[in-house]
Every structure is written in C-alpha cells, then in structure tokens.
Amino acid sequence: MATDTKTAIVPSKRANTDYPLIDSDPHLKRVFGYARPSDWAVAGGMASAAPISFWIMERASPSHVGRGGFAPVMRLATAVGLLGGLHVLYQRSCQRFYGFTENAREVEMDTREMVDKVKKGEPLYGKSQMSSNLQGMAARNSRYSELFIHVIPWFNFVNHDQHGVDTAKYYQQAEQELEAERTGSS
C-alpha cells in the first residue's frame, strides 16, 4: 500500500464580492501599509471620540472623585479610544483586501508590488522559516479573520503563499513588462 506524502492544498473559499479579491489573508504590515489617508482620518476621529466624550461627560455632570480620580480614567479612555481607532483602521483596510469595498487603488498597489518582486526574483509574500504545514495552518486560522475581529483579535504575522488569489497574473504582467523593456531598449 503506497502512501502519498505530498500535501494537497485545498483552495480557500471565496466570497462573492463586487470588487476583486486582493488577498484573503493579508499580512499585518500590508494592511497598515495599504491604508488610505481617509482610513487614518476616520481612525483618528474614532480614537479621539472616547476621551473627548469622557471629558464632555465629566464637564456636564462632574463625578467629584477628587484630585487623583480624573487622570487615570482619562488615560484609560484614551487607551480604549486608540485601540478602537486601530480596530476601525484595520477593518476598513481589510475590507478592501477582501473586495468588500471599492479597492482600485489597492489593486494597483498590489499589482505593482508583486510584479516588482517577480522581476527581482523574490518570493511574492516574503520568506518564511516555518514548514509548509505550519504555514498552511497559520493561513487557515487567520483567513478572513477580520470578519470576527471584534470577538477574537487575530492577525496574520506569517509569510505564506496561501492568499486565495491566482498569482499567475503577476508573473504574466512581469513577463510583459520585461519583454517591453527588452524590445524598447534594443
């Protein structure tokens, strides 16, 4: 009885969206790197909402906690606001990676980044020290994790090659660009 030691990679499910899927499991660096200025503005507004709301409530109806009571609670409100702002930023950026919202800018950035990596001969999604089995497990655990992030904060910190997209388009684009450079420079 012969056993096959090769591991079959089961393709991830794809959500039906109006916009193209960029990555079903984006790395944390890419999520923050691809965030739009509008995402940062909304996140800043959300981050400032908690301490400002707390300050307004304290002015409208003072708690009379004494001299040392307001500052620690204000620091806590600021920390909660910052975490909430980062959550909103991460969520808005991930929704573009998943294709849930308009993502033309991100598609172009992704294509440019990946084609440049192909031209340089680098791995598309970075190098990893982990075995392929552990990379697959990490991918399965964090794929579309942003949809449940309000319950369990789970981020992708692992470089792996299971992102739910066909990477052949990057190689074809790189071949076309290299051919155009070769014929154009002759």
Side-chain angles (χ1 to χ4, degrees):
M1 177 172 180
T3 58
D4 188 12
T5 58
K6 292 184 181 181
T7 306
I9 296 177
V10 177
S12 61
K13 288 188 177 182
R14 237 183 119 170
N16 293 329
T17 61
D18 294 334
Y19 303 100
L21 172 72
I22 299 171
D23 195 338
S24 65
D25 189 20
H27 194 279
L28 186 69
K29 288 180 185 177
R30 291 186 79 203
V31 172
F32 283 106
Y34 281 44
R36 294 180 179 184
S38 62
D39 296 339
W40 288 100
V42 169
M46 294 300 292
S48 64
I52 289 172
S53 299
F54 179 72
W55 182 79
I56 289 171
M57 286 188 290
E58 182 64 25
R59 293 295 168 243
S61 178
S63 61
H64 304 291
V65 293
R67 191 161 169 89
F70 180 74
V73 177
M74 188 62 160
R75 284 191 293 269
L76 176 64
T78 302
V80 167
L82 287 172
L83 285 174
L86 286 173
H87 176 263
V88 167
L89 174 76
Y90 187 83
Q91 192 172 28
R92 287 173 59 101
S93 186
C94 276
Q95 287 178 353
R96 287 194 198 90
F97 273 99
Y98 298 158
F100 294 164
T101 57
E102 186 276 321
N103 62 359
R105 173 186 170 266
E106 288 75 14
V107 168
E108 187 175 320
M109 288 174 65
D110 174 66
T111 303
R112 184 78 267 138
E113 177 187 359
M114 295 302 171
V115 168
D116 289 345
K117 284 185 177 185
V118 169
K119 286 180 177 179
K120 293 177 185 174
E122 299 174 357
L124 291 180
Y125 295 103
K127 296 178 183 176
S128 180
Q129 303 280 333
M130 299 172 66
S131 70
S132 60
N133 289 336
L134 287 177
Q135 290 178 31
M137 181 180 63
R140 288 186 298 277
N141 285 334
S142 62
R143 188 175 294 131
Y144 290 110
S145 62
E146 181 274 326
L147 300 176
F148 205 57
I149 199 168
H150 59 285
V151 177
I152 300 173
W154 199 279
F155 307 99
N156 177 23
F157 297 107
V158 178
N159 291 325
H160 58 77
D161 59 354
Q162 300 177 26
H163 293 269
V165 294
D166 183 16
T167 58
K169 62 184 176 183
Y170 304 128
Y171 291 97
Q172 292 168 354
Q173 179 71 25
E175 285 177 13
Q176 290 172 358
E177 289 182 13
L178 288 172
E179 183 64 26
E181 290 171 10
R182 188 184 65 79
T183 58
S185 62
S186 298

